[in-house]
Amino acid sequence: MKVLVVGATGTIGKAVVNEMQGDNVEIITASRNNSDVKVDITSEESIKNMFEQVGKMDALVSTTGAAHFGPVAEMTTEQNLVAVNSKLLGQINLVLLGLDYIEDNGSITLTTGILMDDPLVNAASAAMANGGVRAFVKSAAIELPRGIRINSVSPNMLEESKEKYGSLFVGTEPVKGKSVALAFKKSILGAQTGQSYNVY
Ligand SMILES: NC(=O)c1ccc[n+]([C@@H]2O[C@H](COP(=O)([O-])OP(=O)(O)OC[C@H]3O[C@@H](n4cnc5c(N)ncnc54)[C@H](OP(=O)(O)O)[C@@H]3O)[C@@H](O)[C@H]2O)c1
């Protein structure tokens, strides 16, 4: 099975790559730096180049997507566009531009996050992108061709990210990277579609 992981060098991406390693699995890593294939998900051209290089695959996984964190009352429209162009449209463009490269009965798994369900101060833009991705996934699932499935994974803050995000996620019990990676594995190897797997 051939699996492309976009964002593979990140905290969640590394956990997914680690969980998916196996005898019959070929993993191709993608990100802007230090991966098998270079891609910037904010650029359609870059996404097209990535798929041309990678060719057909059984599973497309995205564990990436940036967002601006800051107070709504001070947020500029440009700052809000970070999440729109990266986490929301970047991931959706992976689907739109990548569909022809997914084998019959293959799968797509995107990343959202708990902030869409459990609001935190300074996180509205990220929540917007998360909710948009989840809604897109639920809706797209009923019309994807050739038996292709699509799901998203919504993680809580990972234990591995506590230093980075701990001050934002006050009062949160972090989850294990392995638990998050298993949700991706369930999406890739399971049979469900249109789901949002919450790892809270
Ligand atoms: N970590 C958590 O606790 C947590 C919890 C809930 C949700 N999430 C969400 O999960 C996603 C991944 O989080 P993470 O903590 O694993 O992030 P991370 O450690 O910062 O890793 C991000 C990954 O994406 C790549 N990347 C960044 N911008 C990119 C772009 N424009 N095009 C292509 N690749 C890009 C990075 O590599 P390069 O910089 O080399 O491109 C890296 O491989 C984010 O959307 C985050 O909001 C994370």
Side-chain angles (χ1 to χ4, degrees):
M1 144 177 259
K2 187 168 160 185
V3 181
L4 171 64
V5 181
V6 181
T9 59
T11 307
I12 295 178
K14 278 191 280 194
V16 171
V17 168
N18 192 40
E19 193 59 48
M20 287 305 298
Q21 300 280 9
D23 288 346
N24 297 317
V25 182
E26 177 196 359
I27 296 175
I28 295 156
T29 60
S31 60
R32 292 170 302 183
N33 312 287
N34 306 319
S35 280
D36 299 330
V37 185
K38 223 177 168 59
V39 68
D40 179 348
I41 63 161
T42 65
S43 156
E44 286 184 39
E45 219 33 62
S46 175
I47 293 174
K48 284 180 194 163
N49 286 339
M50 172 186 70
F51 284 127
E52 270 167 28
Q53 282 178 67
V54 173
K56 290 267 188 182
M57 70 200 76
D58 300 288
L60 165 62
V61 176
S62 167
T63 57
T64 186
H68 166 77
F69 287 85
V72 173
E74 293 168 18
M75 199 185 306
T76 65
T77 53
E78 285 77 17
Q79 286 171 330
N80 192 42
L81 280 180
V82 173
V84 171
N85 290 330
S86 182
K87 196 160 189 181
L88 181 60
L89 288 191
Q91 292 200 95
I92 290 173
N93 285 343
L94 286 175
V95 179
L96 301 182
L97 299 171
L99 205 49
D100 287 348
Y101 293 88
I102 314 281
E103 299 279 12
D104 293 0
N105 305 310
S107 72
I108 301 168
T109 312
L110 306 182
T111 300
T112 60
I114 191 172
L115 296 171
M116 64 182 165
D117 291 326
D118 192 12
L120 288 177
V121 168
N122 295 333
S125 194
M128 166 199 68
N130 290 340
V133 170
R134 177 170 63 183
F136 175 83
V137 163
K138 186 174 182 178
S139 190
I142 66 168
E143 54 175 292
L144 286 192
R146 301 184 284 108
I148 296 171
R149 298 177 300 102
I150 183 166
N151 298 297
S152 57
V153 174
S154 177
N156 199 339
M157 177 179 64
L158 273 66
E159 280 176 2
E160 294 83 343
S161 303
K162 217 167 130 185
E163 268 189 36
K164 197 168 161 191
Y165 296 124
S167 57
L168 177 72
F169 286 83
V170 176
T172 292
E173 180 78 42
V175 296
K176 289 182 169 45
K178 184 176 176 70
S179 306
V180 175
L182 283 171
F184 280 90
K185 192 175 198 174
K186 182 175 175 177
S187 173
I188 296 164
L189 300 179
Q192 297 180 5
T193 190
Q195 302 298 310
S196 167
Y197 294 125
N198 298 338
V199 187
Y200 300 166

